[in-house]
Amino acid sequence: MKTILITGGAGFIGSNFVPYFLDKYQEYNIINLDLLTYAGNLENLKECETNPRYNFIKGNICNRELVEFIFKKYDVMGVVHFAAESHVDNSIVNPEGFIQTNIYGTYVLIDVAYKYWMEEPFVAKTDYESCRFHHISTDEVYGTLSEDPNELFVEKTPYAPNSPYSASKASSDMIVRAYVKTFGLNCVITNCSNNYGPKQHDEKLVPTIIRNALEENSIPIYGDGKNIRDWLYVLDHCKGIDLVYHNGKKGETYNIGGRNERDNNYIAKKICELLDVKKPRKDGKCYSELIKYINDRPGHDRRYAIDATKIEKMLRWKAEEDFESGIKKTIEWYLARYEAH
Ligand code: NAD
C-alpha cells in the first residue's frame, strides 16, 4: 500500500479525480488535504467518506508544519497537487490569495516533498526512488492566441500569462521546473484547457448558464461572447492526469486538451437548446432569450487552444467526450442536483 497526498481534493477537478483514482487503484491510500475555501465542498466526496483508503484533512498547503506532519505520519510517496485559487475574476479583485496559495503553497509542498524523499540533490532516499510530484496547471500560462486555427499551444510555447491567476500558476510551474533542474526531484506538470462537468462551483461559466436559465434570470455573457476556449470534460482530464502520474517522463510537461474549441456564444446557446428539450419553460419561450451581454472582463484572453499531440502520442491518451456529449452528461447532473435541493 502506498499513500498519495492529493491537495485541493474537495474542489471541482479534485473531487472528480479522488473517486476515480480510489476506484481504479486498490493499492493506494489517499490523503486529501483541503482548506475548504468557498470553492471546496465535501458534499462532492460523499461517495468516498466510508472508504477505508480515504482520509480527509482540513488544512492549508501554506502551513509547512502541517504538511511536514502529514508526510511523516502517513509516509507520503506521491503528490497530486490541485489546490489553488482558480477563478480569474477573483484574481482581478483580490490577487493576494492567489500569490499565497498558488505560489507560496506550491513551494511549501514541493520543498517538503524534496526533503522527505531525497538525501541531497539528485540522490533519492532508499525506497523513495519512485516518489513523484505531479503539479496540475493550466493552459492560461501561455497567454492568448489569435483566431488563426493553426495557432495552438504546445509544450514549448513561451509563457505569457495575462491575469494575476495565470501569472501565479505560471510562477508555480517555474518553481516545479526549478526543483527538477536543481534538485533532480521527480516531477511532472500537466497544463490543461477549460474543464466542465459535474461538481463545478456555481461561479464558473457552465454552471452559471445552467443555474440562471433554470431560475429564469438573465444569463450573463462577457463582451461579444466570441472568446474561444478548448473545452474538456473533467473525467477526460482525470484520466490524462492518471496516465501522466504513472507513465509520464520525469521533468516533462504535458498539455491536455480536448480539441473542442467553442466560443461562449455557442456554449450558452447549446446549453439553452438542450434545456429547452429537457426542461421546457412554462411560457414556451426559449432559454436563449435570457442571454444578456455584459461588460467584458479586463484583460480577457481571446482564444485558448491546445495541441495535445504529445500526450496522445506518448501516452495514448485521447479525450473520450466531445463538447456535445459531455455537456449532456453535465446538464443531467445539474438537473438532478437542483431537483434534490
Ligand atoms: P477549485 O477552485 O474548484 O478547487 C480548488 C480547491 O483547492 C478547493 O477545494 C479549495 O478549498 C482548495 N484550496 C484552495 N486554497 C487552498 C489552500 N491554501 N490549502 C489547501 N486547499 C486549498 O479548482 P479546480 O477547478 O478544481 O482546479 C484544480 C486545479 O486545476 C487548479 O490548480 C487549477 O489551476 C487547475 N486547472 C483548472 C482548470 C479548470 O477548468 N477548472 C483548467 C486547468 C487547470
Side-chain angles (χ1 to χ4, degrees):
M1 248 337 160
K2 267 189 185 174
T3 297
I4 296 191
L5 175 64
I6 309 278
T7 68
F12 165 45
I13 304 171
S15 65
N16 279 281
F17 182 77
V18 169
Y20 168 80
F21 209 68
L22 273 174
D23 196 46
K24 182 162 175 197
Y25 298 102
Q26 303 300 313
E27 67 275 27
Y28 289 138
N29 288 317
I30 285 187
I31 310 291
N32 173 15
L33 172 63
D34 195 301
L35 187 57
L36 296 183
T37 66
Y38 78 96
N41 184 358
L42 287 182
E43 276 282 304
N44 288 336
L45 286 167
K46 274 244 167 295
E47 66 216 270
C48 305
E49 268 172 9
T50 54
N51 190 318
R53 293 182 291 109
Y54 171 73
N55 236 307
F56 174 72
I57 297 172
K58 181 172 182 216
N60 195 332
I61 56 165
C62 300
N63 180 343
R64 185 175 190 110
E65 222 177 296
L66 173 66
V67 175
E68 282 175 346
F69 168 82
I70 293 171
F71 267 75
K72 280 195 195 112
K73 169 148 190 212
Y74 297 99
D75 193 25
V76 170
M77 303 285 278
V79 175
V80 184
H81 174 35
F82 293 94
E85 287 293 339
S86 72
H87 193 38
V88 176
D89 287 347
N90 295 344
S91 83
I92 296 168
V93 178
N94 184 11
E96 176 80 24
F98 289 72
I99 305 302
Q100 274 301 321
T101 291
N102 301 0
I103 305 178
Y104 183 69
T106 299
Y107 155 71
V108 168
L109 273 176
I110 202 165
D111 193 60
V112 171
Y114 165 57
K115 286 176 179 137
Y116 188 75
W117 294 338
M118 298 186 74
E119 298 282 4
E120 57 181 283
F122 297 91
V123 182
K125 292 181 184 165
T126 308
D127 297 334
Y128 290 84
E129 294 84 354
S130 64
C131 294
R132 166 158 277 188
F133 189 98
H134 186 148
H135 179 57
I136 308 297
S137 193
T138 167
D139 62 352
E140 301 194 27
V141 298
Y142 300 121
T144 191
L145 292 169
S146 75
E147 279 165 34
D148 172 0
N150 295 319
E151 221 189 301
L152 297 169
F153 294 138
V154 292
E155 286 78 2
K156 291 203 174 343
T157 301
Y159 276 30
N162 290 324
S163 72
Y165 164 65
S166 52
S168 68
K169 292 298 290 187
S171 309
S172 63
D173 292 6
M174 294 299 144
I175 291 168
V176 176
R177 178 189 156 88
Y179 272 71
V180 174
K181 299 285 176 194
T182 304
F183 303 118
L185 193 67
N186 179 359
C187 303
V188 281
I189 301 177
T190 43
N191 294 83
C192 186
S193 57
N194 270 47
N195 285 214
Y196 67 98
K199 305 180 179 178
Q200 191 165 25
H201 192 275
D202 273 352
E203 69 190 355
K204 299 284 170 71
L205 181 68
V206 167
T208 296
I209 296 170
I210 300 173
R211 188 184 67 256
N212 282 302
L214 293 174
E215 290 171 359
E216 308 235 343
N217 293 326
S218 60
I219 298 170
I221 299 294
Y222 278 133
D224 60 6
K226 290 188 181 154
N227 301 72
I228 297 170
R229 300 293 180 262
D230 181 354
W231 292 88
L232 183 67
Y233 190 63
V234 64
L235 204 55
D236 279 328
H237 185 191
C238 294
K239 291 174 183 171
I241 293 168
D242 173 14
L243 274 178
V244 173
Y245 180 79
H246 286 104
N247 305 324
K249 230 170 125 194
K250 174 178 164 180
E252 298 264 321
T253 287
Y254 296 83
N255 283 352
I256 310 183
R259 300 187 187 275
N260 267 271
E261 285 184 58
R262 306 284 186 274
D263 72 14
N264 290 347
N265 287 326
Y266 178 87
I267 303 290
K269 284 181 186 147
K270 186 78 202 166
I271 293 173
C272 288
E273 221 174 80
L274 291 167
L275 287 175
D276 284 338
V277 177
K278 280 254 154 225
K279 200 134 181 97
R281 290 173 73 180
K282 290 197 182 73
D283 57 10
K285 290 184 178 168
C286 295
Y287 283 105
S288 57
E289 289 176 34
L290 297 167
I291 293 172
K292 187 176 168 216
Y293 293 95
I294 58 168
N295 285 344
D296 209 354
R297 164 195 283 166
H300 202 176
D301 288 336
R302 196 66 175 168
R303 174 171 168 256
Y304 304 144
I306 279 207
D307 178 353
T309 305
K310 182 174 176 183
I311 188 170
E312 287 168 351
K313 284 225 165 108
M314 309 290 254
L315 301 178
R316 310 226 163 276
W317 174 88
K318 198 169 185 330
E320 288 167 29
E321 305 288 349
D322 60 18
F323 183 75
E324 290 62 34
S325 63
I327 198 64
K328 278 193 191 140
K329 295 184 181 179
T330 307
I331 289 177
E332 299 280 354
W333 187 87
Y334 280 99
L335 285 175
R337 192 183 84 165
Y338 292 138
E339 265 154 34
H341 285 88

